[in-house]
Amino acid sequence: PDRRRQLNHIPLPTTWVLNEVFVIYAAQKMPGDVLSIPMLLEIQSIEARIRATPGFNKHCAVRHDDHASYSAGPRVCAPPIGATGFFFNESDGDLVSNVTERALALAESAIAPNLADRWFGEDGQLASNVSGVHFFFYGDGVAFDEWATTALYPRLNTASTKHVRVLWTNPTLDAYEISLTLATDSLWCIGSIFFVAAALAYHTRSLSIALAALSGIFAAFLLAFWLYTRVMGVTEMPMLNFLSIFVLLGIGADDILVVTDTFRLVSTEEATKGEPCSVRMREALGLAGSAMLVTSVTSAASFYANLASVLPALRSFGVFMGTVIVTNYIMVIIAFPPILVLRDHAQKRRER
């Protein structure tokens, strides 16, 4: 907050914004102590590599007494706000001799809850599994976003050491990492779609049936999305909800195979072998539909039970996933049987 108030009094371009990157240090092996001397030295090395990122000095926030360098340059970056400031001399960067005293000073400081475990400082506890540091950047927002994703992110992503794991949070970096994860997950999703399509085509011996089944599965997803956003009135769609497509592919394929195999079995039984297609389909749906109803209801209920969770994202996922299972059952029962009937009629015409 002090840094923001100071910057508000500087006549700079209106497109400039203050960005904060909070870097978190966690012990690779829990429980651990990132404030021990060996790990503090590793953290110092990590921060040095971060500050050595190409372009760092072009985007960093400067010292409170050097605001003129924003326009005159070159910038003298302000030191980050973190636990290392308590343990290393600012003048030469050497480790202080009284580490225990500095740990006590950190425990008594106002920023301790943000830089160490919640139990740090209680009952003489001076070890911490985690710590952190705040880096501040000030300048053009678009330029920072480009630099953060192309230069800073790769540096942070490879900053972890043998004993210290490096994590971070920043809106730009978080959004970029999510986009990378989605891109990777999308490839897995496409691979899953092709695998399910191949399995359905092989088992049903019909590519058209497999494509129709996949179309029904995606129609069930879209119907669930419409019910979730329009009927239920939910305005946000967390990214976690899109993982339901993987579950839906498996459940939808199972239901399709149950209906297909039951219809094939009924069509070969002596009692119904010569019956019209509508009679055989009604018999098949009576057998398969009741079984799928039980499994769909129990599966949907297990997801809807997440409404009792205290986590909003988990509640949202449970509601959406339960709705997806319901719409999948509806699509399989209503839309898929006519496709099997059409295929049966086509086979009969070819046999003639």
Side-chain angles (χ1 to χ4, degrees), residues 114-126:
N114 197 31
L115 299 178
D117 285 344
R118 59 178 299 184
W119 298 281
F120 181 72
E122 294 185 4
D123 299 325
Q125 171 68 23
L126 296 179

Side-chain angles (χ1 to χ4, degrees), residues 8-347:
N8 286 337
H9 298 289
I10 306 173
L12 295 171
T14 57
T15 57
W16 283 27
V17 294
L18 179 65
N19 282 283
E20 176 187 349
V21 178
F22 182 38
V23 179
I24 304 164
Y25 307 118
Q28 291 279 18
K29 185 178 180 181
M30 297 287 186
D33 182 15
V34 295
L35 300 182
S36 63
I37 292 178
M39 290 196 188
L40 281 172
L41 293 174
E42 287 192 21
I43 290 174
Q44 184 190 39
S45 175
I46 291 170
E47 292 183 6
R49 293 200 301 272
I50 293 174
R51 290 194 297 270
T53 303
F56 186 94
N57 289 348
K58 295 180 180 179
H59 299 276
C60 66
V62 303
R63 297 173 180 271
H64 65 86
D65 57 352
D66 191 33
H67 293 161
S69 66
Y70 280 124
S71 55
R75 295 187 182 185
V76 178
C77 297
I81 300 176
T84 50
F86 285 81
F87 298 97
F88 294 93
N89 296 318
E90 186 177 348
S91 57
D92 55 14
D94 290 342
L95 185 71
V96 297
S97 57
N98 52 343
V99 173
T100 302
E101 292 181 11
R102 301 309 298 161
L104 287 171
L106 172 61
E108 295 171 357
S109 68
I111 61 175
N114 197 31
L115 299 178
D117 285 344
R118 59 178 299 184
W119 298 281
F120 181 72
E122 294 185 4
D123 299 325
Q125 171 68 23
L126 296 179
S128 179
N129 289 308
V130 296
S131 185
V133 61
H134 298 265
F135 288 95
F136 292 95
F137 303 90
Y138 195 65
D140 182 75
V142 175
F144 171 81
D145 291 347
E146 181 179 357
W147 171 77
T149 55
T150 57
L152 183 59
Y153 177 82
R155 182 60 58 92
L156 291 173
N157 204 32
T158 57
S160 295
T161 64
K162 181 179 179 180
H163 301 104
V164 180
R165 182 184 180 189
V166 177
L167 308 169
W168 59 89
T169 181
N170 165 267
T172 297
L173 295 177
D174 293 346
Y176 180 69
E177 192 165 27
I178 289 173
S179 66
L180 291 179
T181 304
L182 285 178
T184 303
D185 288 350
S186 297
L187 295 177
W188 283 107
C189 185
I190 293 172
S192 300
I193 292 172
F194 278 106
F195 177 80
V196 172
L200 287 172
Y202 174 80
H203 189 82
T204 61
R205 299 179 180 84
S206 172
L207 180 60
S208 60
I209 291 293
L211 294 177
L214 285 178
S215 299
I217 290 173
F218 287 111
F221 181 87
L222 294 176
L223 177 59
F225 180 79
W226 181 82
L227 291 173
Y228 183 76
T229 56
R230 299 296 181 179
V231 177
M232 299 180 186
V234 181
T235 57
E236 295 183 358
M237 183 71 170
M239 301 306 302
L240 181 63
N241 289 3
F242 288 97
L243 294 178
S244 60
I245 190 65
F246 293 100
V247 183
L248 179 59
L249 282 170
I251 295 177
D254 284 346
D255 289 347
I256 292 296
L257 293 177
V258 169
V259 173
T260 303
D261 286 356
T262 304
F263 180 68
R264 183 185 300 165
L265 179 63
V266 170
S267 298
T268 57
E269 289 181 346
E270 291 297 330
T272 54
K273 188 175 182 178
E275 295 291 339
C277 184
S278 58
V279 175
R280 287 181 282 122
M281 180 54 70
R282 184 167 58 247
E283 180 70 18
L285 286 179
L287 295 172
S290 59
M292 289 190 301
L293 177 62
V294 173
T295 57
S296 297
V297 168
T298 54
S299 298
S302 67
F303 282 106
Y304 282 132
N306 286 310
L307 281 169
S309 173
V310 297
L311 302 176
L314 191 57
R315 289 200 303 268
S316 177
F317 176 75
V319 172
F320 185 74
M321 192 64 241
T323 306
V324 163
I325 292 175
V326 172
T327 56
N328 173 74
Y329 175 78
I330 294 173
M331 295 300 297
V332 172
I333 290 296
I334 295 178
F336 189 66
I339 298 173
L340 290 180
V341 171
L342 291 174
R343 182 197 181 196
D344 186 77
H345 285 315
Q347 288 177 336

